[in-house]
């Protein structure tokens, strides 16, 4: 049996689920990651240590293990197992939040100290300093690496198959189990990943050039 339009449609649906899961991971990770980035530069040592501890634990734990913990962990303590998409979503949100937090912390701290000091001299509150002076400059620096990390999120959704979620890679595996043509099937899967990831990578490079991030 060869690859048919029905198989291609099934793989394409898996691609849509990959995009959806990536969006969940990025949006959720951005919300938590932004809060963590602010916590990492907080005046409170306790807040800084708590945020740093969370980030170190998540970054030091393989994503595969994190997904297993969300999918099987609740059953260990007697609760109902989460649906595959919910477990995969939670796992990827936690993973993304830790890495985005460190990206954005670095961008915040890369804003010259003179800008922080000038904002303080104007007697601005901490909220006003962040929103009117620091964040606009940090966003300019953070845009390209953030888009670049989004590409990594898309690729890492392939691990969601371990909890039974049928995304692009798993869809290709299921089709291959039907027609036994791995080379053809995974060339198609790779093409779908390329179509999703290449525009993001090109956009990241374009933003980096336009924003002249390397210059001060």
């Amino acid at each position: 049996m060869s690859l048919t339009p029905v198989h291609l449609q099934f793989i394409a649906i898996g691609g849509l689920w990959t995009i959806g899961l990536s969006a969940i991971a990025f949006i959720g990770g951005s919300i938590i990651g932004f809060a963590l980035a602010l916590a990492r530069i907080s005046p409170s040592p306790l807040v800084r240590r708590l945020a740093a501890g969370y980030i170190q634990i998540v970054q030091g734990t393989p994503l595969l293990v994190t997904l297993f913990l969300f999918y099987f962990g609740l059953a260990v303590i007697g609760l109902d197992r989460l649906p595959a998409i919910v477990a995969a979503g939670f796992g990827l949100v936690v993973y993304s939040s830790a890495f985005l937090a460190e990206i954005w912390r670095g961008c915040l701290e890369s804003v010259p100290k003179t800008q922080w000091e000038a904002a303080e001299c104007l007697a601005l509150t901490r909220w006003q300093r962040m929103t009117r002076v620091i964040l606009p400059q940090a966003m300019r620096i953070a845009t390209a690496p953030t888009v670049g990390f989004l590409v990594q999120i898309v690729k890492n959704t392939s691990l969601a198959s371990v909890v039974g979620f049928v995304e692009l890679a798993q869809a290709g595996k299921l089709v291959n189990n039907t027609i036994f043509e791995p080379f053809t099937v995974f060339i198609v899967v790779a093409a779908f990943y390329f179509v999703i990831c290449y525009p993001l990578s090109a956009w990241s490079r374009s933003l980096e050039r336009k924003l002249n991030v390397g210059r001060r």
Side-chain angles (χ1 to χ4, degrees), residues 26-187:
F26 184 73
I27 294 170
S30 295
I31 294 170
I32 300 173
F34 182 67
L36 288 169
L38 294 179
R40 289 282 281 120
I41 60 171
S42 169
S44 169
L46 176 61
V47 173
R48 290 199 304 270
R49 283 196 292 268
L50 289 174
Y54 170 90
I55 290 169
Q56 289 172 5
I57 290 171
V58 174
Q59 289 188 345
T61 305
L63 177 56
L64 192 65
V65 174
T66 302
L67 293 171
F68 275 134
L69 288 175
F70 275 104
Y71 190 63
F72 296 109
L74 293 179
V76 172
I77 60 176
L79 299 177
D80 292 336
R81 183 178 296 175
L82 293 174
I85 186 172
V86 177
F90 275 129
L92 284 163
V93 164
V94 168
Y95 165 84
S96 302
S97 67
F99 285 90
L100 287 172
E102 282 299 276
I103 291 171
W104 293 342
R105 177 198 59 81
C107 294
L108 288 168
E109 292 184 340
S110 68
V111 175
K113 291 295 182 184
T114 53
Q115 296 293 311
W116 296 79
E117 293 167 357
E120 290 179 7
C121 290
L122 293 172
L124 298 177
T125 65
R126 182 173 176 81
W127 173 256
Q128 289 173 327
R129 292 198 301 269
M130 291 300 298
T131 56
R132 298 182 183 182
V133 180
I134 306 304
L135 284 177
Q137 298 180 69
M139 286 175 63
R140 177 175 176 268
I141 302 168
T143 302
T146 300
V147 175
F149 181 71
L150 179 56
V151 175
Q152 299 303 315
I153 294 176
V154 173
K155 294 176 181 178
N156 284 329
T157 58
S158 61
L159 292 176
S161 62
V162 300
V163 297
F165 183 72
V166 182
E167 39 63 61
L168 181 55
Q170 180 69 358
K173 188 185 300 182
L174 293 174
V175 169
N176 179 61
N177 290 342
T178 303
I179 64 175
F180 303 105
E181 292 188 9
F183 183 79
T184 302
V185 170
F186 287 105
I187 283 291

Side-chain angles (χ1 to χ4, degrees), residues 15-25:
L16 292 177
W17 279 111
T18 289
I19 294 172
L21 185 58
S22 301
I24 292 170

